Amino acid sequence: MSFTTTTHDDHDHGHGHGPAVEGAENPGGHHEPAELRDHKERLALWMFIGGDALFLILMVFSWFYLRTLNSNGMWDAAQCTTANPCEDGLGNPIVAQITRADPWHAVIIAGLTILAAGFVWLAEIGAKKNTTKGAISGPAGIAFLFMVLAIAMQIYQFQVLPFTTIDGGYASTYEFFMGSTLAHLLILAFIGLGLWIRSSRGRHAGGTWYRVRLIRFFAVWVALSTVILTVVGSLFA
Amino acid sequence: MTTALAPPLLEDTKLGPNAGGLYERLNIWTGLGFGIFLGFVAWVVSHATLQGSNWGSDMVVTCTMLGWVIGFNIGIGTFNAPIRWMLGHDQTHEDELYVAGVGQGRHRYLKYCTDHKVVGTQYLVLVMVLFAVGGTLAMMIRTQLITAHSSFLDPQTYNAIVTVHGMVMIIATIVMVSGPFANFIMPIMIGAKDMAFPRLNAMSFWVIFSAVPCILATFFLGGVNAGWTTYAPLSVQAPPAMDAFAMCIIVFVVSVTVAGVNTIVTVVTMRAKGMTMGRLPIFTWGSIIGAGLGLYAMPAFLLAMTMMITDRVTGTSFFVAAYGGSGWLWENVFWIMGHPEVYVILIPPVAAVLEIASTFARKPVFGYKVAIAGFVAIASLAIMVWAHHMFTTGWAPNLAGPFMLTTELISIPTGIIFLCTIGTLWKGSIWTRLPMYFVYLFIWNFIIGGVTGIYLSDVPADQYFHGDMFVTAHFHYTLLGGAMIGATAAVCYWFPKMSGRMLNERIGKVAFWLIAIGIQVTYFGQFWEGFQGMPRRVAYYDPQFLSANQMSTIGAYTLMAGWLVFLYMMLHGWRNGKIAPANPWHSKTLEWKVPTPVPLENFLVDPVVTSDPYTYGEGVPDGQEVPDFAPSDDPELVPAGSAGSGAQTDAGGDH
């Protein structure tokens, strides 16, 4: 491998050796051009979202797999009656009846998550325009509020479900969907709280608006995954 | 090459008394202390509130393990930066330098340190410890099997040991190259000053570190008797040890995912000027393709283990047929992870072997682009073969043919990469030093492992071999004889750069022969057992299998002796080895152009790459011998007037 050299400051992206570059968020940390930081962080986030999407796909696969197999009739047998007996995928008689979850709870949670993502988007627009810090922290605060409401609603849904985890494949998978949504909402709320606090301290105005965009990407993904799970859990029960 | 005046070394920076903040007080001991404390609190609270409920013991174990993992990571400092970010208190320049290890000497190896070389060294030590644990368990297994009805272990303990041996080795082999070498070596190889996300890098190490005690704890919680594949419903019915086992995997997945993302982002965004993707050293390609495949496989592992733990702790029924679940669901989700995972293990060491072969043959990698295409093809096919593990389960018999086809197709790119390795050595001016011994052994073992794999991909043959010792011999030839020996070659090759010292090759050759002979005797013995029809995972067996088992056990003891000699060689080299020159192998790739020990941020002057990585013999007229070695051992990427090597450039003044 042939190579030549440049001076150190031309291409600095390490532990802070070299002059601070405009756009770097941390004045003492990794002095990198904002473009490079944005590129790195966006790529990493897309990969994390990609991994999360695979997790989601496999959850949905599990749902349809167990629903189709309907082992021992323990999926959701509410539509089966004595006059209209059913069989599971293996030809066994269905022996259990389970009440479905109220879809409106999931719809409300999805709606709150969409609203949270929308307000994060507004915060991003404020950051990009480099306006007052209130233009960022205001929408960020409202977004965080919606995240908290979504979490509260998710916990409430757990409490009012007409079944428990032991009630078969449908109940198991539905509650797993809810748990996954709750975990995502908790992570989003942590980031949302950070966005709110940081934007209140003027951390996200101007050159680092792309950081808010990263949060928006994640918030939109959480909203999208919540919608997908709501649709699957409600329409394909 | 032009040079610049020597800039001040970062490691010479005088830090203020408050540098590092909370990090200054945190180290592995505080991590252990917090972990044990929080684990204990979680145990007390969960025991008091949950023990009486359904699945109480499982809940208690899960809470305790979760408490340990969270506590350890609080105590080591994993959460410092995220919480400071959330509160808007970003780290200062001095904090960053402190966390990078400036002024901490050897202590930085026991702390949350963001320097990729420290993280790489930490991984190397962890991998050696894991291999020591897994190897000890393997010796217990082989000792049990030296007679047909040995009383050395009872069947329950034997099964628990088989399970933990399998999973500890899987964990160790997944990170054995991506941990030490993709961390320490690869950033320097591409001209980067560190990984793209140094804090995530440190996090990936300490998170996996906290996972290890969870799996070791299984021995004290009744043992997991389900094998490393933990097939349901056996694993759903296993003792509470299964909860600790699953928790270990969940935490491990977090670590591998973070590390994989970091590796790929580093290569895509942090390359030196002129280091195009077409100029990347082949090892870098292997690292990112392996990391990418890991990102595909790990979500399935996470889902499988999370569903498993919810079945056990909350009473869901994903895998319990009586309540609407299915064991086939486990097998599908597990093997959607499981077969790609084999290539996550295999691809990086194979790429390292190609790198080493090129250096010691003084030739470019033969078919460089074809080899990369081969890696990509393997990774692509690897995600379409999972059901070959289920040929005998009765699941979707109509799909057996297509899955047999995709599995057999994998042999084509694998064969191409094998040919690339042979082609690289062919007519080369081969310099047979210790790393090359292991390259030769890799080639021998890998072909045996590969060819026997084709038998198992064949549906009729698999009906006979499935679940017997033939399978065990096959995957040990592939993973130990192939991947692990490739990784061993990588250790021998990069050890001088990582430690600053040379290995004693005389001791190394003793280790090599013991290992080489040990592998053949051990696993030929197991092929013999398999042909005779001996099933896997049995503590007692019919006396007709005695001779083959005794052969395998004798081989295993030989193998163990070889690894012990190898370990001695490494420890001896680390402490007493000759001081290594900057480029002892006269290699062309960038990691050999920087001083040894490598300074913080690696490059005292930034490289601009102007050619491909394997320019051996360039400018030599036809018909003349390729000169083996450059005349100087001095590093080339140092400024004018700067020292070529020596401990004064090390971040902490020692290594």
Side-chain angles (χ1 to χ4, degrees):
Chain A
M1 176 170 282
S2 303
F3 50 86
T4 180
T5 58
T6 64
T7 57
H8 212 139
D9 295 344
D10 290 346
H11 185 63
D12 194 43
H13 46 61
H15 289 106
H17 199 161
V21 179
E22 188 178 354
E25 182 183 56
N26 183 346
H30 299 259
H31 303 295
E32 294 171 324
E35 273 183 14
L36 176 61
R37 291 176 73 90
D38 181 26
H39 186 197
K40 279 166 46 174
E41 291 170 5
R42 227 169 345 122
L43 182 60
L45 183 69
W46 283 120
M47 281 193 281
F48 280 123
I49 288 176
D52 204 21
L54 284 167
F55 188 87
L56 178 94
I57 288 167
L58 286 168
M59 272 200 300
V60 172
F61 164 78
S62 303
W63 172 280
F64 284 109
Y65 188 85
L66 294 182
R67 179 175 178 268
T68 306
L69 205 58
N70 196 15
S71 304
N72 212 28
M74 287 296 281
W75 178 253
D76 176 7
Q79 73 278 22
C80 300
T81 62
T82 310
N84 182 29
C86 308
E87 287 183 348
D88 67 12
L90 299 174
N92 301 312
I94 285 172
V95 297
Q97 291 197 341
I98 303 164
T99 308
R100 293 178 188 176
D102 182 352
W104 284 107
H105 293 135
V107 169
I108 291 169
I109 292 164
L112 289 168
T113 316
I114 291 169
L115 283 170
F119 277 94
V120 173
W121 209 322
L122 282 179
E124 178 197 334
I125 292 168
K128 195 172 182 180
K129 286 182 178 170
N130 201 12
T131 51
T132 59
K133 64 182 179 184
I136 311 169
S137 63
I142 296 171
F144 177 66
L145 181 67
F146 280 122
M147 292 169 199
V148 172
L149 286 174
I151 290 169
M153 188 65 202
Q154 185 64 85
I155 293 169
Y156 173 75
Q157 191 192 14
F158 267 115
Q159 292 177 327
V160 298
L161 277 178
F163 48 77
T164 67
T165 50
I166 63 169
D167 288 327
Y170 163 74
S172 299
T173 323
Y174 195 89
E175 293 214 31
F176 200 84
F177 281 9
M178 291 166 58
S180 170
T181 301
L182 182 60
H184 280 81
L185 286 171
L186 287 170
I187 295 170
L188 184 62
F190 178 86
I191 297 169
L193 179 60
L195 174 65
W196 184 27
I197 294 172
R198 291 174 70 81
S199 55
S200 302
R201 299 169 75 110
R203 290 281 188 184
H204 280 303
T208 59
W209 70 272
Y210 62 88
R211 286 278 174 83
V212 187
R213 185 174 62 177
L214 286 177
I215 298 171
R216 188 254 296 175
F217 285 154
F218 184 67
V220 169
W221 161 244
V222 172
L224 180 64
S225 63
T226 308
V227 168
I228 291 169
L229 293 181
T230 301
V231 169
V232 171
S234 303
L235 299 184
F236 299 98
Chain B
M1 186 180 77
T2 58
T3 53
L5 288 177
L9 289 172
L10 273 179
E11 38 272 65
D12 291 340
T13 308
K14 298 293 178 204
L15 300 180
N18 296 323
L22 189 57
Y23 281 114
E24 197 182 6
R25 298 184 183 85
L26 301 180
N27 54 39
I28 191 171
W29 306 117
T30 54
L32 291 171
F34 269 93
I36 291 167
F37 173 73
L38 211 56
F40 180 71
V41 169
W43 179 77
V44 169
V45 173
S46 59
H47 199 268
T49 55
L50 301 170
Q51 183 64 46
S53 64
N54 291 334
W55 319 288
S57 300
D58 295 307
M59 286 184 179
V60 170
V61 170
T62 304
C63 290
T64 306
M65 293 298 146
L66 200 59
W68 149 259
V69 171
I70 292 172
F72 179 83
N73 283 286
I74 290 171
I76 197 72
T78 303
F79 301 125
N80 285 14
I83 289 173
R84 285 183 67 156
W85 175 85
M86 189 191 73
L87 298 173
H89 297 295
D90 292 321
Q91 290 184 324
T92 65
H93 178 58
E94 285 204 328
D95 290 341
E96 293 279 349
L97 287 175
Y98 183 88
V99 178
V102 170
Q104 295 183 61
R106 289 177 192 273
H107 293 292
R108 68 192 189 282
Y109 292 102
L110 301 176
K111 301 185 75 155
Y112 186 90
C113 181
T114 55
D115 182 1
H116 70 99
K117 298 177 290 295
V118 173
V119 177
T121 308
Q122 289 170 330
Y123 263 112
L124 181 62
V125 173
L126 179 69
V127 166
M128 288 167 63
V129 169
L130 288 173
F131 280 139
V133 171
T136 303
L137 297 174
M139 294 316 300
M140 295 172 75
I141 293 166
R142 287 314 319 172
T143 303
Q144 168 69 18
L145 296 178
I146 200 165
T147 60
H149 290 88
S150 169
S151 57
F152 177 62
L153 299 170
D154 63 78
Q156 177 68 21
T157 308
Y158 177 85
N159 286 341
I161 286 174
V162 167
T163 302
V164 175
H165 160 74
M167 191 49 83
V168 164
M169 287 304 202
I170 290 291
I171 290 172
T173 49
I174 285 177
V175 299
M176 71 184 167
V177 172
S178 62
F181 305 115
N183 266 305
F184 195 118
I185 300 296
M186 193 204 67
I188 316 175
M189 248 182 178
I190 62 169
K193 292 177 177 169
D194 204 317
M195 297 292 278
F197 303 104
R199 281 197 294 262
L200 282 185
N201 202 25
M203 173 194 162
S204 76
F205 173 75
W206 288 112
V207 166
I208 197 173
F209 184 94
S210 63
V212 173
C214 297
I215 198 166
L216 298 182
T218 59
F219 287 121
F220 307 101
L221 295 166
V224 179
N225 52 7
W228 83 273
T229 51
T230 51
Y231 281 139
L234 194 55
S235 49
V236 178
Q237 299 157 358
M242 187 62 218
D243 305 307
F245 186 93
M247 187 59 70
C248 167
I249 303 305
I250 289 169
V251 177
F252 170 71
V253 165
V254 172
S255 166
V256 172
T257 303
V258 167
V261 167
N262 209 354
T263 301
I264 295 172
V265 175
T266 301
V267 175
V268 172
T269 66
M270 305 278 287
R271 302 188 310 275
K273 286 177 184 170
M275 177 68 84
T276 60
M277 294 301 274
R279 287 176 177 163
L280 284 180
I282 194 81
F283 174 66
T284 306
W285 274 108
S287 295
I288 57 173
I289 293 168
L293 193 56
L295 292 181
Y296 168 83
M298 288 302 129
F301 216 1
L302 181 63
L303 182 71
M305 287 298 168
T306 311
M307 290 197 296
M308 168 65 64
I309 218 165
T310 57
D311 266 12
R312 295 175 54 85
V313 169
T314 68
T316 56
S317 49
F318 292 107
F319 309 124
V320 184
Y323 294 94
S326 170
W328 281 333
L329 177 63
W330 169 266
E331 292 204 35
N332 273 289
V333 178
F334 182 84
W335 286 116
I336 284 173
M337 175 287 299
H339 206 82
E341 164 262 335
V342 172
Y343 294 99
V344 174
I345 292 170
L346 203 56
I347 290 175
V350 173
V353 162
L354 279 166
E355 193 76 48
I356 297 165
S358 169
T359 297
F360 287 94
R362 320 307 297 167
K363 279 179 65 190
V365 171
F366 178 77
Y368 169 83
K369 288 181 180 171
V370 176
I372 294 166
F375 286 140
V376 173
I378 287 175
S380 306
L381 285 168
I383 65 179
M384 295 187 275
V385 300
W386 79 90
H388 70 221
H389 295 275
M390 301 161 65
F391 283 158
T392 60
T393 62
W395 182 78
N398 292 338
L399 292 178
F403 276 105
M404 181 175 77
L405 179 67
T406 53
T407 307
E408 290 181 346
L409 280 177
I410 280 197
S411 62
I412 295 173
T414 310
I416 287 172
I417 288 167
F418 188 80
L419 286 177
C420 289
T421 312
I422 299 292
T424 304
L425 297 173
W426 189 258
K427 290 189 176 178
S429 176
I430 299 176
W431 186 26
T432 304
R433 297 290 297 269
L434 189 58
M436 278 306 293
Y437 279 77
F438 287 99
V439 168
Y440 296 141
L441 182 58
F442 163 85
I443 291 170
W444 173 262
N445 291 335
F446 192 54
I447 197 164
I448 296 172
V451 168
T452 51
I454 297 173
Y455 288 83
L456 293 172
S457 68
D458 186 70
V459 176
D462 189 64
Q463 297 290 332
Y464 178 79
F465 287 123
H466 186 87
D468 76 14
M469 292 300 284
F470 186 92
V471 180
T472 310
H474 155 69
F475 71 72
H476 278 88
Y477 252 111
T478 310
L479 294 184
L480 193 163
M484 208 169 142
I485 292 300
T488 309
V491 169
C492 297
Y493 180 61
W494 280 304
F495 186 86
K497 184 56 69 180
M498 294 180 76
S499 69
R501 292 180 183 271
M502 301 297 292
L503 291 169
N504 183 319
E505 296 216 356
R506 184 171 296 186
I507 304 174
K509 286 170 190 171
V510 173
F512 166 80
W513 284 111
L514 287 168
I515 290 168
I517 294 166
I519 289 174
Q520 314 313 319
V521 176
T522 306
Y523 300 113
F524 267 113
Q526 291 182 9
F527 277 132
W528 183 12
E529 293 163 21
F531 275 122
Q532 289 181 308
M534 177 176 162
R536 298 163 65 186
R537 297 170 181 159
V538 288
Y540 307 134
Y541 54 84
D542 191 276
Q544 66 171 311
F545 306 123
L546 183 64
S547 302
N549 272 288
Q550 287 180 335
M551 174 181 171
S552 184
T553 299
I554 290 167
Y557 273 95
T558 313
L559 188 55
M560 180 192 71
W563 288 122
L564 287 176
V565 175
F566 190 87
L567 179 65
Y568 170 75
M569 176 189 69
M570 281 189 73
L571 296 175
H572 176 269
W574 223 315
R575 198 172 171 82
N576 303 318
K578 289 181 189 167
I579 299 293
N583 188 3
W585 316 124
H586 313 284
S587 174
K588 298 285 188 179
T589 44
L590 280 180
E591 79 273 22
W592 301 105
K593 308 299 179 188
V594 296
T596 303
V598 185
L600 191 61
E601 293 200 348
N602 308 331
F603 297 97
L604 303 178
V605 287
D606 291 337
V608 177
V609 178
T610 56
S611 70
D612 72 47
Y614 308 112
T615 53
Y616 298 106
E618 259 189 10
V620 179
D622 286 346
Q624 288 191 15
E625 284 285 307
V626 177
D628 272 354
F629 315 117
S632 169
D633 283 336
D634 289 338
E636 296 168 58
L637 284 169
V638 292
S642 168
S645 65
Q648 71 272 22
T649 56
D650 181 32
D654 55 71
H655 242 285

